[in-house]
Amino acid sequence: MRNTAIQCLFCGAIAAGLWVAVFIAHFLCHQVSELQEVIQEPRIGSLGKYANQQIRPSEKISKQHMINGKSGPNRPEKPKLHPNLDNVTKTTDPEFFHELFKYGFNAFFSRKLGYEREVPDSRSEICRQKRYSLRLPTASVVICFHDEEFNALFRTVSSVIYLSPPHLLEEVILVDDMSEFDDLKEKLDYQLEFFRGKVKLIRNTKREGLIRSRVIGASRASGDILVFLDSHCEVNKVWLEPLLHVIAKDPKIVVCPVIDVIDEMTLEYKTSPVVRGAFGWDLKFKWDHVFSYEMDGPEGPSTPIRSPAMSGGIFAIHRHYFNEIGQYDKGMDLYGGENIELSLRIWMCGGQLFIVPCSRVGHISKTYLAEDKFPIKVAMARNYLRLVNVWLDEYKDNFFFKKPSFYKSMAYGNISERTELRKRLGCKSFQWYLDTVFPELEASEEEKQDNTRKETKLFSLITKGKKVP
Ligand code: UDP
Ligand code: MN
């Protein structure tokens, strides 16, 4: 009897063990497939084929180069550049995956890196030798965030404060676009006290989206130049002066730094090659090669490079010029398309857009973000329609050709204010833009039709009132 009971218990234990093993295996498979599904294309864009063109080996920024670079009280020791990945790559911890999808990148490492770190100096040798006037216009750095990982946000702010000359940095303006994460509330207020008034925090009372949040932030700025950054960036050494220097010479020039890549998994800071911003007829932003004549001058790849477009929106613009050319289209929702719209408006209405190779800013692409993408896709479609109908003239159909037919009948709100702005500013035609700024677009070869298929699926889900998986 006792033997039978022991046998039963033994069999039961084995069965339970098997069930637990099956459950864990199922959970891990689910996490991996979820990981693959949520991979999205970030607006700032991956470097794709340009990613492996390292300019030269990176070097660390030495501590004495840090402006006002002392660590504050309660600051953790500056961490190593690349924490050990071993523990993470082998992890089966569900919390790790949960955070990966919540924040869009490796929050575990981000916490390890803490509030500030040293990043490699990714500038070319020529750039390092450049000297800038002490008398440059001042900058207000505007950073909008929605549910950002706390440490990444804090590193963005502290890198700006420590690596910008204090007399040129008027202020950092943070715009909280109705975040829900708890640590972005009182804890953020408390920690920002550390910067003693250099940082202004504005809290939106409803979710405005990036586009309107930037306009809100800009309206509270008092520096000469507005510099817009994402909330998961780390600026590099002498990043600000080259941008201000170009605008000081001509306030109608808008400038972008080179965007270095902060790996979303390892948080390693990687030097990017110098590329220019472009797009196809679907108006999706992409990086493009720079013509050799732009780089081969006596100053090498250090002078500003003409760019047909800016990426997701890390750029500097004279505050008065930003207002003069009509800020952003406030009828656009959330984000998407506003960077192409502003790029066209700058070029077509008398300004110029350049990439400044000597200014470098690192950015984390949120590859794994698992937020509900349905509202973003709807906002993007609407934003694109607004921009196409204001700026593309007789070339509109090239865009519609890339999109499923329902795009033509989608509502996009009233654009009369924007078409009047275009008239008032005396802007040139899209044909002029094609002929003068971006002739490669007209000649661009057919892109794959994948997008059309994806968008058709989206439309069928919209019409059935379903959420996009
Ligand atoms: N953002 C915002 N409100 C929104 C969506 C985004 O303030 O409704 C912020 C976000 O926190 C980030 C910036 O806008 O600082 C750009 O967003 P994201 O990094 O997702 O775009 P990408 O890097 O792909 O351009
Ligand atoms: Mn971003």
Side-chain angles (χ1 to χ4, degrees):
M1 184 68 193
R2 217 171 135 222
N3 274 353
T4 318
I6 289 170
Q7 273 173 2
C8 284
L9 272 174
F10 183 65
C11 290
I14 288 181
L18 277 172
W19 273 111
V20 170
V22 167
F23 176 77
I24 290 174
H26 174 79
F27 179 77
L28 288 178
C29 285
H30 179 72
Q31 294 287 11
V32 169
S33 65
E34 204 176 331
L35 188 79
Q36 282 159 351
E37 263 178 36
V38 296
I39 287 177
Q40 63 175 26
E41 195 185 317
R43 278 165 63 251
I44 288 191
S46 77
L47 283 160
K49 62 182 171 174
Y50 302 105
N52 295 325
Q53 299 175 15
Q54 292 280 320
I55 296 168
R56 40 163 212 80
S58 310
E59 277 178 25
K60 270 192 184 183
I61 297 174
S62 67
K63 278 189 185 159
Q64 66 267 31
H65 283 134
M66 301 268 284
I67 295 156
N68 191 18
K70 51 189 183 297
S71 287
N74 309 327
R75 290 291 174 93
E77 286 246 304
K78 284 199 184 121
K80 280 189 285 178
L81 279 174
H82 319 304
N84 186 357
L85 246 184
D86 288 353
N87 295 338
V88 173
T89 47
K90 291 188 194 122
T91 190
T92 54
D93 182 359
E95 183 58 20
F96 173 79
F97 289 100
H98 169 75
E99 290 201 324
L100 194 60
F101 303 135
K102 178 176 171 186
Y103 297 113
F105 58 90
N106 187 343
F108 175 83
F109 272 14
S110 186
R111 272 193 298 279
K112 273 193 146 187
L113 292 177
Y115 290 176
E116 62 173 288
R117 69 160 161 175
E118 291 173 15
V119 296
D121 182 349
S122 54
R123 296 170 304 151
S124 69
E125 205 50 58
I126 303 175
C127 292
R128 290 178 199 196
Q129 279 157 22
K130 289 205 170 204
R131 297 289 171 263
Y132 299 92
S133 162
L134 287 172
R135 293 183 57 225
L136 287 169
T138 59
S140 293
V141 177
V142 178
I143 301 165
C144 304
F145 64 96
H146 173 77
D147 283 347
E148 186 57 78
E149 197 276 323
F150 188 91
N151 295 276
L153 173 63
F154 217 87
R155 279 196 302 278
T156 310
V157 177
S158 56
S159 75
V160 167
I161 292 198
Y162 296 142
L163 292 170
S164 309
H167 72 287
L168 296 180
L169 182 66
E170 178 71 30
E171 64 208 341
V172 176
I173 298 183
L174 287 182
V175 183
D176 174 10
D177 191 16
M178 201 63 195
S179 297
E180 289 177 1
F181 296 167
D182 284 341
D183 56 0
L184 296 174
K185 294 173 183 166
E186 290 82 19
K187 181 182 166 191
L188 182 61
D189 290 329
Y190 177 77
Q191 294 291 347
L192 289 176
E193 293 284 311
F194 181 82
F195 297 118
R196 291 184 203 93
K198 205 64 170 178
V199 181
K200 283 184 194 162
L201 175 59
I202 302 165
R203 306 261 195 197
N204 290 345
T205 48
K206 64 177 172 57
R207 174 103 182 252
E208 295 286 356
L210 170 65
I211 300 167
R212 287 192 291 271
S213 298
R214 281 192 168 163
V215 175
I216 292 168
S219 72
R220 301 279 285 273
S222 51
D224 304 314
I225 312 288
L226 298 167
V227 185
F228 294 102
L229 293 182
D230 276 10
S231 49
H232 34 261
C233 293
E234 281 165 85
V235 302
N236 212 302
K237 197 182 160 222
V238 194
W239 74 290
L240 186 59
E241 295 91 320
L243 302 175
L244 302 181
H245 172 76
V246 178
I247 303 178
K249 286 204 278 190
D250 182 348
K252 290 191 174 183
I253 293 184
V254 179
V255 285
C256 304
V258 173
I259 299 179
D260 287 329
V261 172
I262 303 175
D263 188 286
E264 67 273 16
M265 206 46 138
T266 63
L267 298 192
E268 185 186 349
Y269 189 104
K270 298 174 180 168
T271 303
S272 294
V274 178
V275 280
R276 62 177 197 155
F279 54 88
W281 281 113
D282 59 1
L283 301 184
K284 264 196 193 162
F285 178 83
K286 60 186 179 189
W287 296 110
D288 193 11
H289 69 276
V290 175
F291 294 110
S292 53
Y293 64 79
E294 298 254 24
M295 309 269 263
D296 293 347
E299 290 189 73
S302 70
T303 48
I305 288 160
R306 274 159 60 101
S307 186
M310 66 167 74
S311 71
I314 296 180
F315 67 99
I317 185 169
H318 200 288
R319 185 161 56 86
H320 296 318
Y321 184 56
F322 182 64
N323 292 328
E324 189 188 311
I325 60 160
Q327 304 170 336
Y328 275 119
D329 175 358
K330 292 196 266 313
M332 286 188 172
D333 286 331
L334 293 177
Y335 62 75
E338 85 288 351
N339 52 328
I340 305 294
E341 194 270 345
L342 182 56
S343 308
L344 294 179
R345 185 149 43 93
I346 290 164
W347 279 117
M348 288 164 67
C349 308
Q352 297 184 81
L353 179 61
F354 284 87
I355 288 182
V356 179
C358 291
S359 171
R360 288 184 168 260
V361 172
H363 168 262
I364 309 176
S365 282
K366 293 190 167 183
T367 315
Y368 298 104
L369 203 61
E371 70 182 334
D372 182 0
K373 290 189 208 85
F374 182 72
I376 297 173
K377 291 207 167 190
V378 172
M380 277 187 162
R382 185 188 144 91
N383 296 350
Y384 277 126
L385 285 171
R386 290 180 72 84
L387 107 79
V388 163
N389 284 293
V390 176
W391 297 103
L392 252 58
D393 302 335
E394 69 274 24
Y395 284 89
K396 268 181 220 173
D397 283 340
N398 288 18
F399 170 78
F400 287 117
F401 179 67
K402 288 278 167 201
K403 297 286 171 188
S405 54
F406 73 87
Y407 259 73
K408 269 195 167 162
S409 50
M410 265 183 87
Y412 51 84
N414 187 340
I415 54 166
S416 58
E417 192 226 323
R418 301 311 282 181
T419 48
E420 273 156 32
L421 173 79
R422 182 174 168 178
K423 263 189 232 141
R424 182 156 47 81
L425 294 174
C427 307
K428 299 191 177 81
S429 65
F430 191 72
Q431 182 68 61
W432 175 89
Y433 173 80
L434 279 182
D435 293 342
T436 323
V437 182
F438 194 16
E440 302 77 24
L441 174 61
E442 193 157 20
S444 69
E445 57 179 283
E446 281 304 294
E447 290 150 39
K448 288 182 200 124
Q449 295 295 312
D450 277 11
N451 287 334
T452 315
R453 262 188 281 129
K454 268 191 231 153
E455 302 287 335
T456 309
K457 186 177 162 209
L458 172 72
F459 179 59
S460 69
L461 290 162
I462 294 173
T463 48
K464 286 177 194 150
K466 282 190 187 164
K467 281 196 158 194
V468 175

